[in-house]
Amino acid sequence: MSILDSTLVVIPALNEESTVGGIVRLALQLGVAEVVVIDDNSTDHTASIARAAGATVVSLSERLGAWPAIQTGFRY
C-alpha cells in the first residue's frame, strides 16, 4: 500500500478547460485516492471536463478566489 492510496488532491480552478482534464488524469494515474476540483464559478467547461476526467467537482456559486476555493476543498 502506498501513501497515495489515501491522498486527496484538491485543485482550485477558474476557466481551466484546456488543462484541468490532463492534470486530473495524471494525478489519478499516479495513484491518488481522489481528485477534487473546486470550480470557482468558471464561465467555460472546466467543471464538465474535470468530471469527465474522473474528478469530483464542487462548483462554487460565485467567484471567491484561490484561497477560499482551497479552503472549500479542505472542508470537503
Side-chain angles (χ1 to χ4, degrees):
M1 180 153 131
S2 164
I3 191 160
L4 293 177
D5 295 335
S6 60
T7 299
L8 170 74
V9 173
V10 175
I11 302 172
L14 173 63
N15 296 329
E16 294 292 342
E17 69 181 6
S18 65
T19 58
V20 71
I23 298 298
V24 169
R25 283 189 295 276
L26 177 60
L28 293 171
Q29 287 171 359
L30 290 173
V32 300
E34 186 176 3
V35 176
V36 178
V37 172
I38 310 301
D39 177 31
D40 197 15
N41 199 18
S42 295
T43 57
D44 65 2
H45 299 288
T46 294
S48 60
I49 292 171
R51 215 174 269 111
T56 300
V57 177
V58 176
S59 294
L60 302 177
S61 60
E62 62 184 84
R63 193 165 295 157
L64 299 178
W67 179 238
I70 293 168
Q71 289 175 316
T72 299
F74 290 162
R75 287 186 195 104
Y76 174 85

